[in-house]
Amino acid sequence: MSAVVVATAFGGSEVLSVIDEDVPTPGLGEVMVAVRAAGVNPIDFKRYSGAMGADPSSLPMRLGVEAAGVVLSAGRDAVSQMGLLAVGDEVVGTGLSGAYAAQVLAPATAFVRRPSTLDWQQAAGLLATGTTAIHLLTAADVTSGDTVLVHAASGGVGLMVIQLAIARGARVIGTASPSRHDLLRGYGAEPVAYGPGLAERVRALAPGGIDVALDLVGTDEAVDVSLDLVANRSRIVTIAAFGRGRTLGIQLLGGGPGADPGTDIRYAARLELVQLAEAGTLTVIVERAFPLAEVAAAHDLVRLGHTAGKVVLVP
Ligand SMILES: NC(=O)c1ccc[n+]([C@@H]2O[C@H](COP(=O)([O-])OP(=O)(O)OC[C@H]3O[C@@H](n4cnc5c(N)ncnc54)[C@H](OP(=O)(O)O)[C@@H]3O)[C@@H](O)[C@H]2O)c1
């Protein structure tokens, strides 16, 4: 038996519970992984909130798209991007269904090896935000010498974007609450407070102009300031403003309507993330870890929208 988190209805975190389920045997190309930690992402609570539809046939709903763990058993031909997986391999995976669990079954292709430089909790938070960050930088064609404005730079995706953009030689100006400014400076970004007067504050920091704007929050302010400061709309990219964004000629990425899922870019990005982590160029900031049984508290915290880096669940 394995403990598994499910949403039994649509609503707030009160609909979450932990149940025990039989553990299936991996089939062709699949592995069963003992989860050491699972990453929490905003999409996890959006899925059962009702905001993305409320089809009763999707209940009970398993949650969690990313985890780090150890291969417990493997089906035939369990070949990952990094070769055949075997019992005992330490892996990280994304694109999972039901990672909030003691054990998760998935195709071997969902996993790559765990970077030796990251502990279990950090590793659990590497791939979902990291692949999104690489997709953002690739779509905006961020290169050395670019000045990049990142909205919501202290969140899970934001801290990845900062590190990866600076590794490409870009200058990064990131919006965040003042209490997060030292954190951003520590990763080489120049912080600026969001809120009224944002465009003027950014202009004062970068009188030479902004080449790229990456919107990770989807507010009108983030979109308007991006349009104001970046002349080339193809270098304004959002992962959150799917409603307004569609009418503006800017790039939309991810699973939202009209957005580019970037499947191949994100798949290839996983190896790059492992290599960058092992080279010491990239790390994962874990704000807080919760036991699996406290998943509701973890979601209540992330839903407030002011965590820095990742929140993870530990079975
Ligand atoms: N389309 C895709 O492919 C894709 C992929 C991953 C995530 N997403 C979406 O992208 C968003 C960010 O994800 P995440 O994992 O980084 O979330 P997160 O870790 O919860 O980060 C939230 C961040 O938002 C910032 N923030 C809150 N209110 C703000 C405001 N009014 N203006 C500017 N920043 C504000 C917070 O900064 P302070 O704490 O400093 O206030 C915090 O850093 C979510 O909506 C998520 O669903 C989309």
Side-chain angles (χ1 to χ4, degrees):
M1 300 288 273
S2 165
V4 177
V5 172
V6 290
T8 53
F10 291 95
S13 62
E14 73 283 352
V15 305
L16 300 177
S17 49
V18 182
I19 59 168
D20 280 325
E21 275 192 357
D22 286 334
V23 176
T25 306
L28 182 70
E30 291 181 331
V31 286
M32 178 64 77
V33 169
V35 175
R36 294 294 175 85
V40 174
N41 291 282
I43 187 72
D44 301 339
F45 60 75
K46 290 179 186 176
R47 284 185 60 221
Y48 66 83
S49 69
M52 299 173 68
D55 178 0
S57 70
S58 58
L59 299 174
M61 185 188 292
R62 292 159 169 276
L63 300 170
V65 297
E66 63 176 343
V70 181
V71 175
L72 275 181
S73 53
R76 217 159 30 85
D77 295 336
V79 181
S80 77
Q81 211 171 352
M82 294 175 137
L84 197 64
L85 291 183
V87 173
D89 283 350
E90 298 188 351
V91 291
V92 287
T94 189
L96 306 177
S97 171
Y100 292 3
Q103 297 179 26
V104 65
L105 179 75
T109 50
F111 295 98
V112 290
R113 76 165 177 273
R114 173 171 77 107
S116 53
T117 47
L118 301 183
D119 65 26
W120 288 111
Q121 293 180 11
Q122 292 174 307
L126 175 68
L127 292 183
T129 55
T131 54
T132 303
I134 288 182
H135 191 192
L136 280 155
L137 297 176
T138 306
D141 194 23
V142 171
T143 53
S144 179
D146 280 335
T147 299
V148 180
L149 174 63
V150 181
H151 299 278
S154 64
V157 178
L159 289 172
M160 284 286 171
V161 167
I162 290 175
Q163 296 176 79
L164 293 164
I166 285 174
R168 289 183 180 208
R171 175 187 178 197
V172 177
I173 296 172
T175 75
S177 304
S179 64
R180 304 299 193 189
H181 285 192
D182 281 346
L183 177 72
L184 263 57
R185 283 190 196 98
Y187 287 92
E190 295 162 64
V192 61
Y194 54 81
L198 174 60
E200 287 65 39
R201 288 192 292 282
V202 175
R203 277 198 189 91
L205 277 173
I210 298 291
D211 301 298
V212 170
L214 305 177
D215 165 36
L216 319 181
V217 64
T219 57
D220 283 345
E221 175 186 75
V223 173
D224 290 338
V225 168
S226 300
L227 294 170
D228 188 6
L229 296 179
V230 179
N232 180 350
R233 291 199 176 192
S234 73
R235 301 196 86 192
I236 301 174
V237 188
T238 184
I239 58 168
F242 294 118
R244 254 189 96 197
R246 272 191 286 178
T247 63
L248 298 172
I250 66 177
Q251 292 197 64
L252 278 58
L253 308 185
D260 172 11
T263 310
D264 293 344
I265 293 170
R266 292 185 189 215
Y267 190 73
R270 302 174 326 157
L271 285 185
E272 187 181 340
L273 291 164
V274 170
Q275 285 157 1
L276 287 168
E278 288 187 332
T281 307
L282 183 69
T283 193
V284 177
I285 297 90
V286 175
E287 160 127 342
R288 197 158 158 198
F290 290 84
L292 197 62
E294 293 177 22
V295 58
H299 276 202
D300 288 343
L301 177 65
V302 175
R303 197 190 299 255
L304 291 175
H306 295 288
T307 48
K310 295 294 298 187
V311 169
V312 300
L313 294 171
V314 179

